[in-house]
Amino acid sequence: MIPTHNTKTLVGLMLVFGQAFPASRIYACRKDFTDLRDTLYADFVSMCPPGWVKHPKNGLTDRLEASHDVIFHNGTKIMFRELKDVEGKLGLEVNLIVIEQCEEIEYGTYAHMEGRLRPWPGAPKSPRVMAVGSNPTPKWPKELFYDNDKLPIGERDPHYHYLHFAPEENIDLMKVAPNYVKDLEKRFPVAWVRRYLKGDWEIAVEGAVYPEYDSTVHELAPFPIPASWRRWMILDPHLAKPFYALYAAQAPGGPTFIYDELIGTPDMSSSDFFRVMREREKTHWPAGTSGTYTRVIDYSLTTTITKKNDGKTVREVCAEMDLSFGNANKVNKWENIFAVKRLLKPASEESPLLYVTTNCVETIWQFKNYRMEAHEEGTDFREKILKERDDLMDCVQYLAAAKPWLTGAQEAPLPPVSYTQGFARVEAELVGPRA
């Protein structure tokens, strides 16, 4: 299975396959036939040599209805279909399946079509072949193809492979529109460019809260933190979910580096987590030495008695273990979010004031996938954050709220914020327009 979002690549595979394996059966499809006709089939018409075609007799543009077949002189049959009635395809047996824009369909539809594959003529014991096109998306194609390809070789499913094709590799397009990529980079937000032009599958474009976050800019390899740097430990405790903790250090007069994360387990008691925490913190300092942290906690659940704490509150456990935390600044979540955005990309175009080391895998994932639900312009967007796998983003916001130390100077107060103006407009007022 090979995903790509280059339609001409899919057509090229169909043509080569159809000639290499005479009498083969190829199924080319998309969720809606009108879309299929305007994209995959249009490229097929422009790329297929007319001399190969036996049917339709009057040429490839002769028939464009929702059930359209093309037959080559060598007996290969290519069926162009939509994918709205998969139950009607139970008896289908084909050698190659090509699905364009597979993110439009549900995984169940994809799995059903995968079961329709048979080895092609003249190639016994051959693998089943399915090629799918997809734009970068957090949906099932990412997990099945992209994430699989990132695993160590021994852990990958060998049947699924990922290929990325950039617009610059489309020679015909570059001849016709040499400034195609640059024009799109000017017209669209940086997050859109990174996903749809650069092939970044990690960032959430639709409703991304931190489109400023860029792996090539904000991530760096772990390094020994100098003992003289101020250190912070931000804790987000829960009653049923795991505890989440973030560690950061500030270079004197310079940026801040998130250099470690600690995530408990759902059944771990507060005291067990704190014991694990102290063992982890020993690794933050040169052997035989120790130092101090400014500790900040989300206080909202710290006074609730829980069974897993033997009837004690988190605050009581902290006192027993001689741990002192300051309360997180939670007065205005969105002011905290905008503070993080300004650290990632200062309005002055200076270097960022916030970085993450690559060992903080969950923090990086949350930066890229932290997003808002869709909401109408003119409605209050403050409560539209998707509250899924976002605990470390809360920690980052509490970290940013502890200013002025992050920037090294007292910041000017933020202007009044209207939360019904729309996110993009408020964002522009507070941190400047997006690139």
Side-chain angles (χ1 to χ4, degrees), residues 122 187 196 271 366:
R187 290 170 49 198
Y196 294 108
S271 55
Q366 292 191 21

Side-chain angles (χ1 to χ4, degrees), residues 26-79:
I26 301 173
Y27 202 86
C29 48
R30 186 171 176 176
K31 182 177 182 179
D32 182 79
F33 186 81
T34 300
D35 294 330
L36 176 71
R37 179 191 61 199
D38 294 342
T39 52
L40 188 70
Y41 188 75
D43 281 336
F44 181 84
V45 170
S46 67
M47 294 172 63
C48 180
W52 292 9
V53 179
K54 179 180 179 180
H55 176 82
K57 294 182 179 180
N58 296 325
L60 293 175
T61 59
D62 184 35
R63 297 171 59 200
L64 291 176
E65 63 269 25
S67 179
H68 183 43
D69 297 339
V70 174
I71 301 175
F72 289 167
H73 287 288
N74 70 356
T76 289
K77 182 177 181 179
I78 304 177
M79 295 164 276

